[in-house]
Amino acid sequence: MIISAMVAVGENNEIGKDNDLPWRLPNDWAYLRRVTMGHSIILGRKNYESIGKPLDGRKNIVLTTNKDYKAEGCHIAYSIEDALSKCEGEEVFILGGEEIYRQFLPYTQKLYITKIHAPFDGDRFFPTIDYSLWKELSVEKGIKDEKNHYDYYFHVFEKIK
Ligand SMILES: NC(=O)c1ccc[n+]([C@@H]2O[C@H](COP(=O)([O-])OP(=O)(O)OC[C@H]3O[C@@H](n4cnc5c(N)ncnc54)[C@H](OP(=O)(O)O)[C@@H]3O)[C@@H](O)[C@H]2O)c1
């Protein structure tokens, strides 16, 4: 099973603000949907609550330490190992937030990172990546239009073994 992380970052590695995304970028959301459809996805409890519902067509696994926690349409996991043991299929996607990305980074083999070339006010950040340990597989410029105001690029990296 390949463990992949998928994230969008601003110019300073910011990923969140007040338990929400610092930007609106529908094209990135559509890209995430396309890439993760049919796969298992792992989310932190705060990220899950920020989204507010399970992502359709995917096995949603929500990490929490609260044994009483319930989220309709989701599987609940209480540790990294527990979350991974509930995954099915060839590739699993770690969807954040910050706490989750940091803990899974040592196990992450593939990184789908949307780099938005603009600064945002953030209170959550993606960990600093040592790109000498990663090989870029692809990069594609995102379309800028009236609904997607920024310059942004979809990168895919693979950890060098
Ligand atoms: N830009 C992006 O691509 C992107 C993607 C995702 C999220 N975000 C942003 O990131 C922010 C949320 O990130 P965050 O770091 O605050 O929270 P988070 O990582 O989404 O969730 C943290 C929670 O996950 C649970 N948890 C963490 N590690 C665990 C473990 N090892 N075992 C069991 N449970 C564990 C705990 O839940 P309990 O407290 O219930 O125990 C913890 O409070 C939001 O602003 C969101 O919009 C951005």
Side-chain angles (χ1 to χ4, degrees):
M1 189 173 68
I2 299 169
I3 302 177
S4 297
M6 192 160 198
V7 65
V9 301
E11 213 161 72
N12 301 303
N13 261 5
E14 61 276 34
I15 62 164
K17 171 77 178 163
D18 298 333
N19 207 34
D20 200 354
L21 296 174
W23 48 74
R24 288 287 166 261
L25 195 56
N27 282 354
D28 187 55
W29 194 243
Y31 172 67
L32 179 143
R33 180 178 168 81
R34 206 161 61 239
V35 173
T36 61
M37 188 50 67
H39 295 281
S40 296
I41 55 175
I42 297 178
L43 309 94
R45 191 262 307 162
K46 291 181 187 170
N47 182 27
Y48 170 71
E49 289 184 354
S50 167
I51 297 169
K53 59 176 175 29
L55 299 183
D56 65 306
R58 287 147 279 189
K59 183 171 184 180
N60 289 240
I61 299 161
V62 177
L63 263 168
T64 179
T65 55
N66 177 357
K67 300 278 179 198
D68 298 323
Y69 192 74
K70 298 215 169 20
E72 211 183 315
C74 298
H75 301 259
I76 306 297
Y78 305 105
S79 67
I80 291 180
E81 298 71 25
D82 188 20
L84 289 174
S85 75
K86 291 185 158 73
C87 291
E88 293 170 83
E90 293 284 294
E91 189 172 12
V92 45
F93 288 87
I94 310 305
L95 295 190
E98 177 181 322
E99 279 190 42
I100 298 306
Y101 289 132
R102 284 189 191 284
Q103 293 178 68
F104 277 94
L105 190 58
Y107 312 102
T108 301
Q109 295 151 277
K110 218 168 159 186
L111 177 59
Y112 297 73
I113 183 164
T114 302
K115 295 191 179 185
I116 307 171
H117 292 203
F120 298 89
D121 189 15
D123 59 16
R124 289 293 183 278
F125 296 84
F126 194 65
T128 305
I129 297 292
D130 177 357
Y131 282 105
S132 71
L133 303 176
W134 296 79
K135 174 180 144 200
E136 189 165 53
L137 299 181
S138 62
V139 58
E140 191 191 325
K141 189 174 183 354
I143 293 166
K144 193 173 176 178
D145 58 23
E146 67 282 355
K147 290 191 176 145
N148 298 270
H149 299 283
Y150 311 103
D151 286 319
Y152 59 101
Y153 292 81
F154 300 113
H155 300 258
V156 182
F157 291 91
E158 184 179 64
K159 188 91 172 275
I160 298 165
K161 292 189 180 81

